[in-house]
């Protein structure tokens, strides 16, 4: 007996090996068990909230959204207050952070705010600041340009601090400002110039991969004009302890 949602192609249950030629009848069946109202119990730190939007701290090791039950999206209902506005809807993140990345995540709580926040991202009106720890000697600052998925992309970095390391030679604390928003952009850009992010198992250097500590990439701050109240918002999530064990805490 099937206990999970399933997809059929022309009436036959599909698998990952099913090939689509075009013109097939595709049906998604949602079983009652999967339609239950169970909600994910996951405590999130809420950094800002009003009737329109919220900003939360995303912990490492959890997806923002997707088919898994354990996602930030599924945890939002229990962590945010329901909007009192007429177009209130289920809270939705309006951008993504990687599975292992920590930090600030922007959420819309109404249909109109989700649309407005997406437009702010589209018009590059939301400034994002990240911090990362990278491996190897680096210039004090620089711009990295590298096409990702055949699309132009650019990131700016400023080296905040540097410490020597017996294993890695040099470790750098970088402030990063992506000018575009491609998937894995910062990770790919820093790997491209030979300074991968500490703990990056995908884009790192094989003999310099740090296991068991996670990815040292943190979404530190978002700065934008609230699309409804017109207030300037500058919201940040302080560096995780694993960062401050290597570099002193930021004071700004």
């Amino acid at each position: 007996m099937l206990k999970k949602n399933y997809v059929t192609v022309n009436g036959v249950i599909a698998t990952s090996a099913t090939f689509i030629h075009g013109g097939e009848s595709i049906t998604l069946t949602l079983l009652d068990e999967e339609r239950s109202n169970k909600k994910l119990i996951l405590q999130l730190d809420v950094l800002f909230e009003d009737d329109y939007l919220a900003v939360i701290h995303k912990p490492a090791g959890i997806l923002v959204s997707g088919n898994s039950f354990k996602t930030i999206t599924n945890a939002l209902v229990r962590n945010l207050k329901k909007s009192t506005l007429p177009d209130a809807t289920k809270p939705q993140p309006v951008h993504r952070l990687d599975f292992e990345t920590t930090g600030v995540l922007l959420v819309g709580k109404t249909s109109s705010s989700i649309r407005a926040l997406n437009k702010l991202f589209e018009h590059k009106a939301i400034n994002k600041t990240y911090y990362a720890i990278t491996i190897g000697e680096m210039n004090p600052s620089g711009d990295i340009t590298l096409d990702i998925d055949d699309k132009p992309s650019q990131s700016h970095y400023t080296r905040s601090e540097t410490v020597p390391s017996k294993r890695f030679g040099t470790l750098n604390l970088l402030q990063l400002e992506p000018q575009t928003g491609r998937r894995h952009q910062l990770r790919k850009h820093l790997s491209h110039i030979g300074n991968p992010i500490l703990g990056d198992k995908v884009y790192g250097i094989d003999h310099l991969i740090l296991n068991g500590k996670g990815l040292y990439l943190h979404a530190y701050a978002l700065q934008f004009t609230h699309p409804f109240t017109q207030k300037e918002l500058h919201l940040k999530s302080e560096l995780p302890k694993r960062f401050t064990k290597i570099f002193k805490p930021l004071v700004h």
Side-chain angles (χ1 to χ4, degrees):
M1 178 180 176
L2 291 168
K3 294 184 178 181
K4 294 183 178 180
N5 302 337
Y6 61 94
V7 174
T8 60
V9 178
N10 291 337
V12 179
I13 295 176
T15 69
S16 58
T18 302
F19 189 80
I20 303 298
H21 299 276
E24 292 89 347
S25 173
I26 300 175
T27 304
L28 169 64
T29 299
L30 301 174
L31 300 185
D32 289 340
E33 181 182 42
E34 297 296 323
R35 292 174 181 170
S36 67
N37 291 323
K38 65 178 183 177
K39 293 181 175 62
L40 177 63
I41 300 174
L42 174 68
Q43 185 67 41
L44 298 173
D45 291 333
V46 180
L47 307 174
F48 174 85
E49 183 177 13
D50 63 13
D51 259 350
Y52 300 95
L53 58 88
V55 175
I56 62 103
H57 168 83
K58 177 199 170 294
I62 184 169
L63 293 168
V64 170
S65 59
N67 294 326
S68 301
F69 176 62
K70 187 179 180 181
T71 64
I72 294 295
T73 299
N74 287 338
L76 289 173
V77 173
R78 282 184 172 266
N79 284 273
L80 300 179
K81 299 172 186 175
K82 184 171 174 138
S83 173
T84 61
L85 296 172
D87 63 338
T89 188
K90 182 180 177 181
Q92 293 290 328
V94 293
H95 62 121
R96 292 195 176 194
L97 296 176
D98 291 346
F99 178 76
E100 291 184 277
T101 302
T102 55
V104 289
L105 185 71
L106 182 56
V107 176
K109 295 175 59 176
T110 69
S111 298
S112 56
S113 68
I114 291 170
R115 289 193 299 270
L117 293 170
N118 280 326
K119 283 190 175 181
L120 289 182
F121 273 110
E122 182 181 341
H123 296 139
K124 300 181 181 179
I126 297 179
N127 295 320
K128 297 180 286 184
T129 302
Y130 289 75
Y131 275 88
I133 295 178
T134 61
I135 299 169
E137 295 185 4
M138 299 186 71
N139 292 328
S141 64
D143 289 291
I144 309 169
T145 55
L146 172 73
D147 285 3
I148 296 176
D149 299 327
D150 296 323
K151 295 178 181 178
S153 59
Q154 183 176 1
S155 305
H156 178 78
Y157 75 84
T158 303
R159 192 183 65 200
S160 298
E161 293 185 56
T162 299
V163 295
S165 168
K166 286 184 179 180
R167 179 176 175 187
F168 301 106
T170 301
L171 291 175
N172 313 282
L173 179 65
L174 297 189
Q175 178 178 309
L176 296 155
E177 296 171 350
Q179 307 303 306
T180 49
R182 313 303 180 203
R183 185 172 183 267
H184 293 177
Q185 175 174 314
L186 295 174
R187 297 167 67 183
K188 288 180 177 179
H189 276 182
L190 290 164
S191 177
H192 174 69
I193 64 171
N195 301 104
I197 296 174
L198 186 65
D200 195 333
K201 296 179 181 179
V202 178
Y203 304 106
I205 300 169
D206 286 344
H207 69 283
L208 293 178
I209 291 177
L210 179 68
N211 292 310
K213 302 291 185 180
L215 179 70
Y216 282 73
L217 177 62
H218 179 69
Y220 179 69
L222 291 173
Q223 187 170 6
F224 61 99
T225 301
H226 193 299
F228 296 94
T229 67
Q230 301 306 309
K231 290 183 179 179
E232 285 294 321
L233 297 179
H234 189 188
L235 301 156
K236 63 183 181 181
S237 175
E238 298 298 342
L239 292 183
K241 288 182 180 178
R242 57 199 176 94
F243 277 70
T244 57
K245 284 181 179 178
I246 302 173
F247 295 97
K248 63 186 178 182
L250 299 175
V251 296
H252 61 283

